[in-house]
Amino acid sequence: MCYEVERARVSTMSPVPTPRAALPATSAISAAPARSATSASVGAPPAPVRRPALDWRVRFAALALIWGFSFLLIKVGTEAYAPFQVTLGRLLFGTAVLAAAMAVKRVALPRGARTWGHLAVAAFFLNALPFSLFAYSELTIPSTLAGICNATSPLWGMVLSVVAFSEDRPTRRRVAGLGIGFIGVLTVLGAWQGFSGLDFGGTAMALLASLSYPVGWIYLRRTLGGSGNSALSMTGAQLLLGTVQLAVVTPLFTTVPSSFPVVPLLAVVALGALGTGLAMLLQYDLVAEVGPTTAQMVTYFIPVIATVAGVTLLGEHLSWNTPVGALIVLAGAALTQSRSRSRSRSADPSHD
């Protein structure tokens, strides 16, 4: 789910080089007092800057836990509901949370048919498709394996960014990271055992889901980077479009459930309200406060939490190669995302 960091960075790009335009919607509160202070009389005291009630480290840990437990919630939800129904519920409750946040902050939806058309494509690759693929994959593979497959997203992202953007040159370190990550994937899958006991269909869907994320954020970067719309506005519209897409598809492939078991239903509600809606709000706050480089580190905690949750709460079997391979994947992903110190400082807004 590291694609959220990239999308937050894309959504905050603007062709107007002013501090106000460069801030996401979640930072608009802190930007407003500075503007009002400059327009006030000389003798008036400056308005205090509003700071988050919770330290960013607490919110960072909460985000890692929420996203890590999302794979467990998907597994529980699919025990009673079809994968498309789980995804529809996830998008519906996630959209409701963002709609409430937009109402509180008085943020309007973006305008323009072109913008909505691009957001519809982004909603497919960033929400409708990967959420559905993960839900279908967990019908046949453990939630731990799905969480580890999600960690391969930075590896896919590096390959695609080199193809899509000429400025993203494949340095030796990033190429080495890609190779290490690939070895980690083979370790997780048990390649030396001939992939025995592995469900190819479920694993392939989980890997395709992780591939879909960088496809989506690269598309956003190429089409809507610098649009000037706030991150909250863009994401709210995107989730709304994803919900509409699933609302059209779900009745074609599923039937209305005859019963609504409480535990799976609560899992779907939590998956949407927390794992999608609240998680996105937390992510954008972190990007605005500590910068994308630090916020991106949450990615490396997700498979660890997903593995612990699956083993302890669902009783999923864990062989030695799964955690070892996961660590190798994370090491490779970290290398693909690493940059020189000078480039990182210039790209990270947390550095003055």
Side-chain angles (χ1 to χ4, degrees):
M1 298 185 183
C2 66
Y3 75 98
E4 294 297 346
V5 179
E6 293 294 344
R7 182 168 59 181
R9 192 156 46 178
V10 167
S11 299
T12 56
M13 291 179 182
S14 173
V16 182
T18 61
R20 174 72 177 180
L23 290 172
T26 50
S27 300
I29 295 177
S30 62
R35 182 180 58 182
S36 61
T38 58
S39 60
S41 61
V42 177
V49 177
R50 187 174 178 181
R51 296 183 179 277
L54 292 176
D55 184 80
W56 73 267
R57 297 170 185 84
V58 177
R59 286 174 283 134
F60 183 97
L63 181 60
L65 285 172
I66 290 172
W67 272 343
F69 271 87
S70 292
F71 298 95
L72 179 147
L73 295 175
I74 293 173
K75 174 68 76 172
V76 175
T78 53
E79 291 177 354
Y81 305 106
F84 276 140
Q85 293 169 346
V86 172
T87 304
L88 176 59
R90 177 179 187 176
L91 288 169
L92 182 64
F93 290 108
T95 302
V97 170
L98 287 185
M102 292 176 65
V104 170
K105 295 178 181 292
R106 297 182 179 180
V107 174
L109 289 170
R111 297 180 179 180
R114 173 183 174 275
T115 298
W116 281 86
H118 289 313
L119 285 175
V121 177
F124 175 76
F125 284 108
L126 290 174
N127 303 117
L129 179 61
F131 290 178
S132 299
L133 286 173
F134 272 125
Y136 269 103
S137 71
E138 292 198 36
L139 293 177
T140 55
I141 67 173
S143 64
T144 55
L145 180 56
I148 292 172
C149 288
N150 178 77
T152 64
S153 187
L155 304 178
W156 300 118
M158 195 216 81
V159 175
L160 293 176
S161 65
V162 170
V163 175
F165 304 109
S166 58
E167 68 270 19
D168 291 339
R169 297 179 180 178
T171 63
R172 293 181 180 178
R173 179 180 297 182
R174 300 181 74 186
V175 171
L178 182 62
I180 292 173
F182 181 69
I183 293 174
V185 172
L186 293 179
T187 303
V188 170
L189 302 181
W192 66 93
Q193 298 174 345
F195 306 102
S196 60
L198 181 72
D199 183 85
F200 285 98
T203 305
M205 283 189 285
L207 290 173
L208 284 174
S210 67
L211 170 62
S212 181
Y213 288 141
V215 170
W217 72 251
I218 286 175
Y219 179 84
L220 270 182
R221 183 177 168 186
R222 293 183 68 94
T223 58
L224 293 179
S227 64
N229 292 300
S230 72
L232 182 58
S233 174
M234 298 276 281
T235 306
Q238 181 182 303
L239 281 186
L240 176 61
L241 290 168
T243 304
V244 172
Q245 292 171 0
L246 262 295
V248 173
V249 172
T250 301
L252 301 178
F253 296 93
T254 65
T255 57
V256 178
S258 57
S259 61
F260 295 87
V262 176
V263 174
L265 180 60
L266 291 177
V268 174
V269 173
L271 181 64
L274 300 179
T276 303
L278 179 60
M280 288 183 175
L281 296 177
L282 288 173
Q283 180 67 78
Y284 287 123
D285 277 341
L286 286 172
V287 171
E289 183 173 349
V290 300
T293 301
T294 301
Q296 183 176 262
M297 296 301 294
V298 73
T299 304
Y300 307 119
F301 292 89
I302 295 173
V304 177
I305 296 172
T307 299
V308 172
V311 172
T312 58
L313 299 180
L314 297 180
E316 295 178 344
H317 174 71
L318 187 67
S319 56
W320 69 267
N321 59 295
T322 302
V324 171
L327 291 175
I328 298 175
V329 168
L330 291 177
L335 281 176
T336 63
Q337 299 301 300
S338 64
R339 299 181 180 182
S340 64
R341 183 173 300 179
S342 59
R343 286 188 63 189
S344 296
R345 288 189 175 182
S346 63
D348 194 333
S350 66
H351 292 286
D352 294 331

